[in-house]
Amino acid sequence: MANILVFAESRGTDLRKVAGEAVSVARRLADASGGGEVHALLAGPPGIAQKADVLGRYGADVVLVMEHTALATFARESIAATLAARAKAASYRAIVLGFSAQGRDLGPRLAARLDAPIASDVIDVQVAGDALTVKHPAYANKVVVTLTVTGSPAIVSIRPAAITATESPRTARVETIQPGTDPAASRVKVTQVVEGAKGRPDLADAPVIVAGGRGLKAPENFKLVEELADAFGNAAVGATRAVTDEGWRPHADQIGQTGRQVSPQLYVAVGISGAIQHLAGMRTSKTIVAINKDKEAPIFKVADYGIVGDVLEVVPALTSAVREAKKGH
Amino acid sequence: MTAQSVVFLFVLAIAAGIFALNVQRLVSYLKLGVAEDRTDRPWARLSNVLQIGIAQTKILREPIAGIMHATIFWGFIVLTAGTVEIFIQGAWSGFSYERVLWHPLYALYAASQDAFAVFVLAAVAFAFYRRLVLHPRRLEGDRIEHLDAYVILGMIAGLMITLLLANAFLSVVQPDAVGPEKFVSRGLAAPFANVSARSAFYAYRTFWWAHVFLVLIFLNYLPYSKHLHVVSSLINVYFSNTSWKGERAVMRPMDLEAETESFGAADVEQLTWKNLLDGYSCTECGRCTAACPANLTGKVLSPRKIVVNTRQRLMEKGPAATGDGMAFLGSRLVHGENHEAAESLGNGATHRLLDGYITEEELWQCTSCRACVQECPVSIDQLDIINQMRRNLVLSESRFPAEIQPAFEALERNGAPWAFDAADRARWADGLAIPTMAELTERGERPDVLFWVGCMGSFDDRAKKITVAFARILQACGIRFAILGQEEHCHGDPARRMGNEYLYQMLAKDTIDTLNRYAVTTVVTSCPHCFHQIGNEFPQLGGNYEVIHHSTYIDRLLQQELVPLRTDEGRRLTVAYHDSCYLGRYNDIYDAPRETLRRALPVVNLVEPPRARDRGLCCGAGGGRMWMEERQGKRINIERTEELLATGAETIAVACPFCMTMMSDGVKAKESSVPVLDIAEVVASQLSAT
């Protein structure tokens, strides 16, 4: 029996999706090691305590709530000190966090403070007896490395969107705790927060990407791609080089050898023929769906599912089908 | 000796002395560059001087400006004989070649002087008209550049006029001294027939001295002018390596183990003396920039600017480095092009050729198509400077467009510029019964040729069809060939062109090991980049193979009637062939792909866009541009596709997988339905069914 500590990441008063994933992973580890408890640290500005229920739904037994106005932005030093103090005070088998911007910062700090082992960018964790094994991709996702982590607590940062959060509902006990150090006294000051594109997730961490190519014929037809992405709810929108060259989409949306290199769970290629430049940026996606009127298009060679047809007809039909399916949930 | 002779010799000595000092100064600047031996093949070099220099073959590629220049140039050669005569007269009054030459020869000489003086005047008049009225775009320059041109043209006109008038007045004074051969001078003298002998004599003396002074001023003006090319260009043509087929395009060898603080060139002293001599030889005619695909499509790269700025930086650095006290000249006399960056940097420690005069952005816009080198009338190698500077950016400073990082990484890890599984390399051959070298070796057999497929041909879905088409032709002709299969990986050429010599040598040496292990002697390939790299550049690393591009190979098979073609001639198809730079300007292969098309399609109508053969416009993918974004101006492939579509062709033919990608994209962007086919696909489609 061993307890697991989780850092439940938030931004402002909102939980980040990876928080649920981290708690869910911790729940599984705790159960597998003989039914320990999952303790989740929830740090944020006043009002964050309301989110404790959500963590309970994913299986947190105890939610350690730390509220402070200075926690409205990520206070790395204070949170690291709090987690480290907690880990020293109680015995944890593992500390789980997201391999996100925050987690990439906290993980090494904790490892140093606790002199503990760390496994980063993990896509799977298993515990069997004393052995904690993790999997993490290397060489641009070409290989998956399996590592056994010895020593306790093992710090594990999980890749966002790689592990599906499963619910394990319970009523979490809420404990209010004080920050390990004053979050307002941090040596790092956030002077400005620049908002990225609103609404859709970034290409790098979206589990679903809908990308459009020249097959859409005209810039106004790109809204079909956006509608399909919105129907998924968690999808980002990408484009081919031809499309960004034509100025239909900003250059930052380009997926390919010379643009963004992505590997989502689901990649929907709309009107994309699959030039080598594009394939080099998305061929490692888990599931690829291609819609193109030319059945000889190379994209079908890498696609798991292909629809040969006019994108202007197929995509709206697919969008309504996705909406229907989502309603059913 | 007369007083006049003494004065003349004194003036001559001073002028010659100053000129000698200037030459010495310019030579001392050249010595700042890296040493390089260019004394091999003297006869071939001399032949270049005779053709490109004396016969003006490159200048004449542009007929109108060419004839204008050639007239002035040949005029200079002819009239120099006259200048020598005049100088002898200076020392020995009353001297004439008539005294020493056989009369008919003298008559020819005398007539030539007058005739060429008039030809040169006409050419100078046209040059003024061209600069002042026609304003060709390639002659664009700043105020100093234009002023320099007018001064020189004015001086040339002055030289001709003073020469003719001196002779004219001499004929008034002394009719015997100017024979009927000097018909122009005699004609000019007619209105002055009644001038008193004394006045005519003074006029003769005045024009004679004016001519002598102009010659000496001209000589001493040159070192401060772009017209230094009058002195340097023949020397530059002699030492240039831009003529030898294939070899001219081989990038410089590089010793990566050398004890050096930096690789490549960031400033003039890291270039070789020959690169610096290129700077002295540039007359800023702009033919290179007018042919540059990047510049044509609105990008900042200008090969002329690369050379001019190299010279300008040398003129700035030279006085400081040699301590010759000439720093005061600054850039007042030797100008550069658009180097705002240099002025804003001031004289800080970072002030140098790279960044100060030539920006990173310009260097990465180059497609390595060699159009600039091809066009240069004085054999300047602009690309050599660009390549050395790219090496510095990548190897010493790790500065390159972020989007080529994935290409470098994939080359290193996957052995191809895209991150595809090496295990999938030979998947195109599944079910085609093509043996690998390993399989043949195990059976104790050897193939006639090795088919080097290349990364595009192995992984790009469109290019794989070319690969299969070529393999089918080889099989139909009964050629015993093999592939390396999974043992093939990129030879590193893209890395080399993008300045990453380290990565290149790693990949190239490994490839040579593989080829040598199988004792490969003959290689065929459908990729011009592989063809050039393995055939021309591998010898630098000790790999020597006969490499044949598929255009040449298929053409030979067709000539030998080994290809079983369908007998029906099909319909008459209009085809435009797009020249690959690495076949054409790199290796002089222009006819083989065209002949292949003609032999395979007996009734074909081959059409040519205005830019064809050695003037062909690059597709835009060379020099690693395939893996970079085209951020500025019009896309090169669109420009080229428009040119090809304008021919009215029903099919565009290519002989390179990179051209294939660029032209196919261009045709799609133009929403045209004209198919783009590789010549191998055209031939394969004509194979008889059996």
Side-chain angles (χ1 to χ4, degrees), chain B residues 410-436:
Chain B
L411 281 167
E412 198 170 332
R413 292 180 185 162
N414 304 67
W418 307 272
F420 289 97
D421 283 332
D424 292 341
R425 186 172 275 272
R427 291 281 287 275
W428 63 270
D430 287 352
L432 295 180
I434 297 169
T436 62

PDB file of all heavy atoms in Angstrom, chain B residues 410-436:
ATOM      1  N   ALA B 410      16.641  14.491 -39.500  1.00  0.00           N
ATOM      2  CA  ALA B 410      16.218  13.283 -40.204  1.00  0.00           C
ATOM      3  C   ALA B 410      17.389  12.696 -40.991  1.00  0.00           C
ATOM      4  O   ALA B 410      17.566  11.478 -41.050  1.00  0.00           O
ATOM      5  CB  ALA B 410      15.040  13.598 -41.122  1.00  0.00           C
ATOM      6  N   LEU B 411      18.225  13.550 -41.588  1.00  0.00           N
ATOM      7  CA  LEU B 411      19.386  13.052 -42.323  1.00  0.00           C
ATOM      8  C   LEU B 411      20.293  12.268 -41.385  1.00  0.00           C
ATOM      9  O   LEU B 411      20.826  11.217 -41.736  1.00  0.00           O
ATOM     10  CB  LEU B 411      20.161  14.218 -42.954  1.00  0.00           C
ATOM     11  CG  LEU B 411      19.568  14.792 -44.247  1.00  0.00           C
ATOM     12  CD1 LEU B 411      20.216  16.110 -44.599  1.00  0.00           C
ATOM     13  CD2 LEU B 411      19.733  13.796 -45.398  1.00  0.00           C
ATOM     14  N   GLU B 412      20.442  12.777 -40.187  1.00  0.00           N
ATOM     15  CA  GLU B 412      21.343  12.150 -39.236  1.00  0.00           C
ATOM     16  C   GLU B 412      20.760  10.837 -38.694  1.00  0.00           C
ATOM     17  O   GLU B 412      21.458   9.842 -38.583  1.00  0.00           O
ATOM     18  CB  GLU B 412      21.598  13.127 -38.087  1.00  0.00           C
ATOM     19  CG  GLU B 412      22.810  12.792 -37.274  1.00  0.00           C
ATOM     20  CD  GLU B 412      23.178  13.912 -36.312  1.00  0.00           C
ATOM     21  OE1 GLU B 412      22.878  15.084 -36.591  1.00  0.00           O
ATOM     22  OE2 GLU B 412      23.749  13.588 -35.260  1.00  0.00           O
ATOM     23  N   ARG B 413      19.476  10.870 -38.383  1.00  0.00           N
ATOM     24  CA  ARG B 413      18.879   9.700 -37.736  1.00  0.00           C
ATOM     25  C   ARG B 413      18.276   8.708 -38.710  1.00  0.00           C
ATOM     26  O   ARG B 413      18.319   7.509 -38.491  1.00  0.00           O
ATOM     27  CB  ARG B 413      17.762  10.146 -36.795  1.00  0.00           C
ATOM     28  CG  ARG B 413      18.277  10.903 -35.614  1.00  0.00           C
ATOM     29  CD  ARG B 413      17.107  11.307 -34.756  1.00  0.00           C
ATOM     30  NE  ARG B 413      17.543  12.148 -33.664  1.00  0.00           N
ATOM     31  CZ  ARG B 413      16.725  12.923 -32.964  1.00  0.00           C
ATOM     32  NH1 ARG B 413      15.434  12.931 -33.230  1.00  0.00           N
ATOM     33  NH2 ARG B 413      17.190  13.655 -31.977  1.00  0.00           N
ATOM     34  N   ASN B 414      17.647   9.216 -39.765  1.00  0.00           N
ATOM     35  CA  ASN B 414      16.915   8.333 -40.670  1.00  0.00           C
ATOM     36  C   ASN B 414      17.643   8.133 -41.993  1.00  0.00           C
ATOM     37  O   ASN B 414      17.211   7.337 -42.807  1.00  0.00           O
ATOM     38  CB  ASN B 414      15.524   8.901 -40.975  1.00  0.00           C
ATOM     39  CG  ASN B 414      14.711   9.158 -39.724  1.00  0.00           C
ATOM     40  OD1 ASN B 414      15.049  10.023 -38.929  1.00  0.00           O
ATOM     41  ND2 ASN B 414      13.663   8.400 -39.521  1.00  0.00           N
ATOM     42  N   GLY B 415      18.711   8.904 -42.220  1.00  0.00           N
ATOM     43  CA  GLY B 415      19.437   8.761 -43.477  1.00  0.00           C
ATOM     44  C   GLY B 415      18.653   9.270 -44.667  1.00  0.00           C
ATOM     45  O   GLY B 415      18.883   8.870 -45.804  1.00  0.00           O
ATOM     46  N   ALA B 416      17.697  10.149 -44.433  1.00  0.00           N
ATOM     47  CA  ALA B 416      16.924  10.797 -45.498  1.00  0.00           C
ATOM     48  C   ALA B 416      16.493  12.144 -44.952  1.00  0.00           C
ATOM     49  O   ALA B 416      16.363  12.301 -43.742  1.00  0.00           O
ATOM     50  CB  ALA B 416      15.705   9.962 -45.881  1.00  0.00           C
ATOM     51  N   PRO B 417      16.268  13.108 -45.837  1.00  0.00           N
ATOM     52  CA  PRO B 417      15.918  14.428 -45.303  1.00  0.00           C
ATOM     53  C   PRO B 417      14.530  14.497 -44.667  1.00  0.00           C
ATOM     54  O   PRO B 417      14.174  15.504 -44.081  1.00  0.00           O
ATOM     55  CB  PRO B 417      16.013  15.359 -46.520  1.00  0.00           C
ATOM     56  CG  PRO B 417      16.350  14.521 -47.683  1.00  0.00           C
ATOM     57  CD  PRO B 417      16.450  13.109 -47.290  1.00  0.00           C
ATOM     58  N   TRP B 418      13.762  13.437 -44.800  1.00  0.00           N
ATOM     59  CA  TRP B 418      12.474  13.381 -44.095  1.00  0.00           C
ATOM     60  C   TRP B 418      12.540  12.205 -43.133  1.00  0.00           C
ATOM     61  O   TRP B 418      13.194  11.204 -43.406  1.00  0.00           O
ATOM     62  CB  TRP B 418      11.321  13.144 -45.067  1.00  0.00           C
ATOM     63  CG  TRP B 418      11.288  14.101 -46.200  1.00  0.00           C
ATOM     64  CD1 TRP B 418      10.675  15.316 -46.226  1.00  0.00           C
ATOM     65  CD2 TRP B 418      11.901  13.947 -47.478  1.00  0.00           C
ATOM     66  NE1 TRP B 418      10.870  15.925 -47.426  1.00  0.00           N
ATOM     67  CE2 TRP B 418      11.613  15.113 -48.218  1.00  0.00           C
ATOM     68  CE3 TRP B 418      12.657  12.947 -48.070  1.00  0.00           C
ATOM     69  CZ2 TRP B 418      12.072  15.287 -49.525  1.00  0.00           C
ATOM     70  CZ3 TRP B 418      13.104  13.128 -49.359  1.00  0.00           C
ATOM     71  CH2 TRP B 418      12.819  14.283 -50.074  1.00  0.00           C
ATOM     72  N   ALA B 419      11.809  12.315 -42.025  1.00  0.00           N
ATOM     73  CA  ALA B 419      11.909  11.273 -40.996  1.00  0.00           C
ATOM     74  C   ALA B 419      11.075  10.042 -41.340  1.00  0.00           C
ATOM     75  O   ALA B 419      10.107   9.722 -40.678  1.00  0.00           O
ATOM     76  CB  ALA B 419      11.478  11.852 -39.649  1.00  0.00           C
ATOM     77  N   PHE B 420      11.448   9.368 -42.425  1.00  0.00           N
ATOM     78  CA  PHE B 420      10.769   8.120 -42.767  1.00  0.00           C
ATOM     79  C   PHE B 420      11.606   6.953 -42.275  1.00  0.00           C
ATOM     80  O   PHE B 420      12.814   7.067 -42.100  1.00  0.00           O
ATOM     81  CB  PHE B 420      10.559   8.015 -44.277  1.00  0.00           C
ATOM     82  CG  PHE B 420       9.526   8.965 -44.785  1.00  0.00           C
ATOM     83  CD1 PHE B 420       9.892  10.174 -45.339  1.00  0.00           C
ATOM     84  CD2 PHE B 420       8.175   8.664 -44.678  1.00  0.00           C
ATOM     85  CE1 PHE B 420       8.933  11.068 -45.791  1.00  0.00           C
ATOM     86  CE2 PHE B 420       7.211   9.557 -45.130  1.00  0.00           C
ATOM     87  CZ  PHE B 420       7.585  10.762 -45.683  1.00  0.00           C
ATOM     88  N   ASP B 421      10.944   5.812 -42.096  1.00  0.00           N
ATOM     89  CA  ASP B 421      11.669   4.639 -41.624  1.00  0.00           C
ATOM     90  C   ASP B 421      12.605   4.122 -42.703  1.00  0.00           C
ATOM     91  O   ASP B 421      12.174   3.867 -43.825  1.00  0.00           O
ATOM     92  CB  ASP B 421      10.679   3.531 -41.261  1.00  0.00           C
ATOM     93  CG  ASP B 421      10.026   3.811 -39.928  1.00  0.00           C
ATOM     94  OD1 ASP B 421      10.664   4.482 -39.098  1.00  0.00           O
ATOM     95  OD2 ASP B 421       8.888   3.370 -39.729  1.00  0.00           O
ATOM     96  N   ALA B 422      13.857   3.973 -42.341  1.00  0.00           N
ATOM     97  CA  ALA B 422      14.829   3.433 -43.295  1.00  0.00           C
ATOM     98  C   ALA B 422      14.361   2.067 -43.789  1.00  0.00           C
ATOM     99  O   ALA B 422      14.648   1.668 -44.918  1.00  0.00           O
ATOM    100  CB  ALA B 422      16.200   3.345 -42.646  1.00  0.00           C
ATOM    101  N   ALA B 423      13.618   1.366 -42.947  1.00  0.00           N
ATOM    102  CA  ALA B 423      13.153   0.025 -43.319  1.00  0.00           C
ATOM    103  C   ALA B 423      12.172   0.062 -44.485  1.00  0.00           C
ATOM    104  O   ALA B 423      11.974  -0.931 -45.171  1.00  0.00           O
ATOM    105  CB  ALA B 423      12.503  -0.648 -42.109  1.00  0.00           C
ATOM    106  N   ASP B 424      11.563   1.227 -44.712  1.00  0.00           N
ATOM    107  CA  ASP B 424      10.568   1.320 -45.792  1.00  0.00           C
ATOM    108  C   ASP B 424      11.185   1.753 -47.118  1.00  0.00           C
ATOM    109  O   ASP B 424      10.488   1.941 -48.098  1.00  0.00           O
ATOM    110  CB  ASP B 424       9.480   2.349 -45.424  1.00  0.00           C
ATOM    111  CG  ASP B 424       8.618   1.874 -44.277  1.00  0.00           C
ATOM    112  OD1 ASP B 424       8.623   0.643 -44.022  1.00  0.00           O
ATOM    113  OD2 ASP B 424       7.966   2.711 -43.632  1.00  0.00           O
ATOM    114  N   ARG B 425      12.516   1.926 -47.137  1.00  0.00           N
ATOM    115  CA  ARG B 425      13.145   2.541 -48.295  1.00  0.00           C
ATOM    116  C   ARG B 425      12.886   1.800 -49.603  1.00  0.00           C
ATOM    117  O   ARG B 425      12.680   2.422 -50.634  1.00  0.00           O
ATOM    118  CB  ARG B 425      14.654   2.670 -48.064  1.00  0.00           C
ATOM    119  CG  ARG B 425      15.368   3.425 -49.164  1.00  0.00           C
ATOM    120  CD  ARG B 425      16.799   3.690 -48.804  1.00  0.00           C
ATOM    121  NE  ARG B 425      16.975   4.878 -48.007  1.00  0.00           N
ATOM    122  CZ  ARG B 425      17.144   6.101 -48.506  1.00  0.00           C
ATOM    123  NH1 ARG B 425      17.138   6.309 -49.804  1.00  0.00           N
ATOM    124  NH2 ARG B 425      17.309   7.122 -47.707  1.00  0.00           N
ATOM    125  N   ALA B 426      12.905   0.486 -49.554  1.00  0.00           N
ATOM    126  CA  ALA B 426      12.768  -0.241 -50.821  1.00  0.00           C
ATOM    127  C   ALA B 426      11.353  -0.788 -51.018  1.00  0.00           C
ATOM    128  O   ALA B 426      11.132  -1.671 -51.846  1.00  0.00           O
ATOM    129  CB  ALA B 426      13.802  -1.359 -50.891  1.00  0.00           C
ATOM    130  N   ARG B 427      10.385  -0.242 -50.303  1.00  0.00           N
ATOM    131  CA  ARG B 427       9.021  -0.777 -50.415  1.00  0.00           C
ATOM    132  C   ARG B 427       8.462  -0.625 -51.825  1.00  0.00           C
ATOM    133  O   ARG B 427       7.618  -1.412 -52.251  1.00  0.00           O
ATOM    134  CB  ARG B 427       8.099  -0.061 -49.410  1.00  0.00           C
ATOM    135  CG  ARG B 427       8.398  -0.396 -47.963  1.00  0.00           C
ATOM    136  CD  ARG B 427       7.819  -1.740 -47.565  1.00  0.00           C
ATOM    137  NE  ARG B 427       6.360  -1.652 -47.444  1.00  0.00           N
ATOM    138  CZ  ARG B 427       5.736  -1.249 -46.347  1.00  0.00           C
ATOM    139  NH1 ARG B 427       6.435  -0.915 -45.284  1.00  0.00           N
ATOM    140  NH2 ARG B 427       4.431  -1.199 -46.316  1.00  0.00           N
ATOM    141  N   TRP B 428       8.929   0.385 -52.552  1.00  0.00           N
ATOM    142  CA  TRP B 428       8.441   0.582 -53.925  1.00  0.00           C
ATOM    143  C   TRP B 428       8.713  -0.645 -54.791  1.00  0.00           C
ATOM    144  O   TRP B 428       8.017  -0.891 -55.768  1.00  0.00           O
ATOM    145  CB  TRP B 428       9.101   1.812 -54.552  1.00  0.00           C
ATOM    146  CG  TRP B 428      10.595   1.684 -54.702  1.00  0.00           C
ATOM    147  CD1 TRP B 428      11.547   2.050 -53.807  1.00  0.00           C
ATOM    148  CD2 TRP B 428      11.297   1.099 -55.809  1.00  0.00           C
ATOM    149  NE1 TRP B 428      12.800   1.748 -54.269  1.00  0.00           N
ATOM    150  CE2 TRP B 428      12.664   1.165 -55.500  1.00  0.00           C
ATOM    151  CE3 TRP B 428      10.896   0.536 -57.022  1.00  0.00           C
ATOM    152  CZ2 TRP B 428      13.642   0.676 -56.359  1.00  0.00           C
ATOM    153  CZ3 TRP B 428      11.883   0.057 -57.884  1.00  0.00           C
ATOM    154  CH2 TRP B 428      13.236   0.129 -57.551  1.00  0.00           C
ATOM    155  N   ALA B 429       9.750  -1.395 -54.408  1.00  0.00           N
ATOM    156  CA  ALA B 429      10.177  -2.524 -55.248  1.00  0.00           C
ATOM    157  C   ALA B 429       9.440  -3.822 -54.914  1.00  0.00           C
ATOM    158  O   ALA B 429       9.676  -4.845 -55.562  1.00  0.00           O
ATOM    159  CB  ALA B 429      11.688  -2.726 -55.109  1.00  0.00           C
ATOM    160  N   ASP B 430       8.547  -3.767 -53.916  1.00  0.00           N
ATOM    161  CA  ASP B 430       7.835  -4.988 -53.528  1.00  0.00           C
ATOM    162  C   ASP B 430       7.144  -5.609 -54.741  1.00  0.00           C
ATOM    163  O   ASP B 430       6.407  -4.941 -55.460  1.00  0.00           O
ATOM    164  CB  ASP B 430       6.771  -4.679 -52.453  1.00  0.00           C
ATOM    165  CG  ASP B 430       7.416  -4.401 -51.093  1.00  0.00           C
ATOM    166  OD1 ASP B 430       8.651  -4.604 -50.977  1.00  0.00           O
ATOM    167  OD2 ASP B 430       6.695  -3.970 -50.181  1.00  0.00           O
ATOM    168  N   GLY B 431       7.405  -6.869 -54.973  1.00  0.00           N
ATOM    169  CA  GLY B 431       6.722  -7.581 -56.055  1.00  0.00           C
ATOM    170  C   GLY B 431       7.300  -7.326 -57.438  1.00  0.00           C
ATOM    171  O   GLY B 431       6.771  -7.810 -58.430  1.00  0.00           O
ATOM    172  N   LEU B 432       8.392  -6.546 -57.521  1.00  0.00           N
ATOM    173  CA  LEU B 432       8.949  -6.253 -58.843  1.00  0.00           C
ATOM    174  C   LEU B 432      10.154  -7.135 -59.180  1.00  0.00           C
ATOM    175  O   LEU B 432      10.734  -7.010 -60.246  1.00  0.00           O
ATOM    176  CB  LEU B 432       9.363  -4.775 -58.935  1.00  0.00           C
ATOM    177  CG  LEU B 432       8.235  -3.744 -58.838  1.00  0.00           C
ATOM    178  CD1 LEU B 432       8.786  -2.325 -58.947  1.00  0.00           C
ATOM    179  CD2 LEU B 432       7.202  -3.973 -59.939  1.00  0.00           C
ATOM    180  N   ALA B 433      10.502  -8.023 -58.259  1.00  0.00           N
ATOM    181  CA  ALA B 433      11.628  -8.947 -58.485  1.00  0.00           C
ATOM    182  C   ALA B 433      12.919  -8.212 -58.819  1.00  0.00           C
ATOM    183  O   ALA B 433      13.622  -8.546 -59.766  1.00  0.00           O
ATOM    184  CB  ALA B 433      11.280  -9.941 -59.592  1.00  0.00           C
ATOM    185  N   ILE B 434      13.211  -7.179 -58.035  1.00  0.00           N
ATOM    186  CA  ILE B 434      14.474  -6.459 -58.217  1.00  0.00           C
ATOM    187  C   ILE B 434      15.428  -6.884 -57.105  1.00  0.00           C
ATOM    188  O   ILE B 434      15.110  -6.730 -55.930  1.00  0.00           O
ATOM    189  CB  ILE B 434      14.243  -4.929 -58.180  1.00  0.00           C
ATOM    190  CG1 ILE B 434      13.346  -4.525 -59.356  1.00  0.00           C
ATOM    191  CG2 ILE B 434      15.567  -4.166 -58.210  1.00  0.00           C
ATOM    192  CD1 ILE B 434      12.846  -3.113 -59.284  1.00  0.00           C
ATOM    193  N   PRO B 435      16.571  -7.428 -57.466  1.00  0.00           N
ATOM    194  CA  PRO B 435      17.466  -7.912 -56.414  1.00  0.00           C
ATOM    195  C   PRO B 435      18.227  -6.771 -55.733  1.00  0.00           C
ATOM    196  O   PRO B 435      18.440  -5.723 -56.325  1.00  0.00           O
ATOM    197  CB  PRO B 435      18.444  -8.809 -57.182  1.00  0.00           C
ATOM    198  CG  PRO B 435      18.461  -8.238 -58.560  1.00  0.00           C
ATOM    199  CD  PRO B 435      17.094  -7.666 -58.815  1.00  0.00           C
ATOM    200  N   THR B 436      18.614  -7.023 -54.495  1.00  0.00           N
ATOM    201  CA  THR B 436      19.497  -6.063 -53.830  1.00  0.00           C
ATOM    202  C   THR B 436      20.934  -6.534 -54.039  1.00  0.00           C
ATOM    203  O   THR B 436      21.187  -7.698 -54.374  1.00  0.00           O
ATOM    204  CB  THR B 436      19.224  -5.987 -52.321  1.00  0.00           C
ATOM    205  OG1 THR B 436      19.490  -7.280 -51.757  1.00  0.00           O
ATOM    206  CG2 THR B 436      17.791  -5.576 -52.041  1.00  0.00           C
TER     207      THR B 436
END
